[in-house]
Amino acid sequence: MQRVRHGADEGDQPDRRERRSHRGPLPVAREQNQERDHHDPAADAEQGAEETGEEADGNEPHGRILRGVDDVLAQLREEPGLAAVLLDVDGTLAPIVARPELAAVPEETRAEVRRLAGLYALVACVSGRTGEDAARLVGVDGVVYVGVHGLELAPEAETWRETLRPFASEQWPWLEDKGLTVAFHWREAEDEEEARRSLEAVAERARTAGLEARWGRKVLELRPPVEADKGTAVRALLSERGLQRALYAGDDTTDLDAFRGLDGLEVAVRVAIASAEGPPALRQAADVVVASPEELRELLRVL
């Protein structure tokens, strides 16, 4: 049984139908009943919504669907040789943990990704990690790995490496240097509000240097101001293979870019992994919402 639901409330349907009128028909999974997710009360429900100006998902109820999910995904499953399965890694395949180096993809999930890679025209992981690190973590051959939110596919991003170097030398206990981006985590900070305030100053200095400062799930990421993101990466991957059908699953603000990368396809399925830290906009833009990486794995099993 998959606990999933269509991503919008009934009141949102007219707007969403108009916005997606260019897409192929997508069956809607009907809600059977509602039950409330219980998230870790210590989770910071505010940070993930930084860019949207909204409250994070918190204890937002996620519908429990007993029937209908199979219909939503049937157009992908029926002809896998014409379709792609695109996946974020952290928070999607691997549960969120205190530090990135502690992340692990469960073997059951790895087995599903391996199975899909043998069926579909393309299975790819589009990650905030470097492609090399994503490949190490997921550990499945036959998968295409694109790192640093798609920046690895943008040659112009290379010219910003030197601008990023001083920020990579900041005295911050949970700093992650990815070469083309620098990430400041604060999940383990004793005072998360104070840590967040300290990073506001870092973000301002980065903007002054010409960089972009993006907020995610208890992370500030500094990146080059180039036209490259998960959306451009998704479009490039699909265009190279001439694919017009795809599913993308993700859990954070940058995955909204990937959702937009599916615009205009014959069949597009956007899956949000909702959480207390995740941006509400992701859930609202999704076609299907699941409550955890474990529930996503169950969804992958029907593909």
Side-chain angles (χ1 to χ4, degrees):
M1 242 180 243
Q2 294 82 32
R3 288 170 50 229
V4 299
R5 75 172 181 84
H6 192 266
D9 297 326
E10 287 300 318
D12 296 333
Q13 292 305 312
D15 289 343
R16 295 179 82 243
R17 279 196 293 268
E18 181 178 353
R19 175 161 54 90
R20 295 187 181 180
S21 60
H22 59 282
R23 291 166 51 195
L26 182 65
V28 176
R30 297 185 181 275
E31 294 190 24
Q32 301 296 319
N33 55 58
Q34 296 270 331
E35 69 177 20
R36 184 169 294 276
D37 268 341
H38 296 285
H39 298 286
D40 181 355
D44 185 345
E46 185 176 320
Q47 306 305 332
E50 179 68 27
E51 292 194 354
T52 66
E54 303 177 70
E55 292 182 2
D57 280 348
N59 289 327
E60 178 72 22
H62 301 289
R64 180 174 167 183
I65 301 302
L66 307 182
R67 299 186 298 274
V69 177
D70 197 57
D71 292 336
V72 177
L73 304 172
Q75 294 179 69
L76 298 177
R77 188 177 61 247
E78 287 168 358
E79 295 187 89
L82 300 178
V85 177
L86 309 164
L87 305 161
D88 176 40
V89 178
D90 292 276
T92 299
L93 295 179
I96 290 292
V97 290
R99 297 191 304 278
E101 64 270 22
L102 300 178
V105 175
E107 185 52 46
E108 302 95 318
T109 301
R110 189 174 287 115
E112 285 306 309
V113 174
R114 186 177 297 112
R115 180 183 65 82
L116 294 173
L119 289 175
Y120 282 77
L122 169 66
V123 173
C125 288
V126 186
S127 176
R129 294 173 179 264
T130 65
E132 182 180 5
D133 195 28
R136 175 198 60 78
L137 178 59
V138 178
V140 176
D141 292 335
V143 172
V144 175
Y145 297 94
V146 177
V148 201
H149 306 297
L151 285 169
E152 289 183 344
L153 299 183
E156 62 270 32
E158 289 290 333
T159 62
W160 289 89
R161 281 186 183 269
E162 290 307 310
T163 306
L164 284 159
R165 288 312 88 212
F167 294 97
S169 301
E170 291 277 341
Q171 295 302 306
W172 189 260
W174 310 286
L175 185 146
E176 190 180 8
D177 180 6
K178 306 176 190 178
L180 292 175
T181 67
V182 178
F184 297 81
H185 300 268
W186 69 85
R187 188 173 297 276
E188 291 190 299
E190 290 186 8
D191 186 336
E192 292 188 350
E193 291 186 4
E194 177 57 32
R196 172 73 164 66
R197 284 193 294 270
S198 297
L199 289 176
E200 286 280 8
V202 175
E204 185 56 35
R205 284 192 283 111
R207 295 186 191 102
T208 300
L211 298 168
E212 290 183 0
R214 294 193 178 186
W215 300 92
R217 296 180 64 176
K218 298 190 180 181
V219 62
L220 166 66
E221 188 157 65
L222 310 182
R223 50 166 287 150
V226 301
E227 291 297 322
D229 54 34
K230 287 188 175 183
T232 61
V234 163
R235 287 192 291 272
L237 290 169
L238 296 175
S239 176
E240 286 172 3
R241 294 158 179 81
L243 300 176
Q244 282 292 314
R245 301 182 182 188
L247 173 148
Y248 183 92
D251 73 303
D252 207 351
T253 304
T254 59
D255 296 306
L256 279 165
D257 296 325
F259 278 9
R260 288 186 285 269
L262 301 186
D263 287 350
L265 294 184
E266 174 187 330
V267 177
V269 182
R270 299 159 172 84
V271 182
I273 296 82
S275 74
E277 301 169 358
L282 189 75
R283 175 173 53 79
Q284 293 159 3
D287 300 300
V288 177
V289 175
V290 298
S292 67
E294 292 76 20
E295 288 188 8
L296 174 66
R297 181 172 67 236
E298 294 305 309
L299 186 62
L300 295 179
R301 283 179 174 149
V302 308
L303 288 177

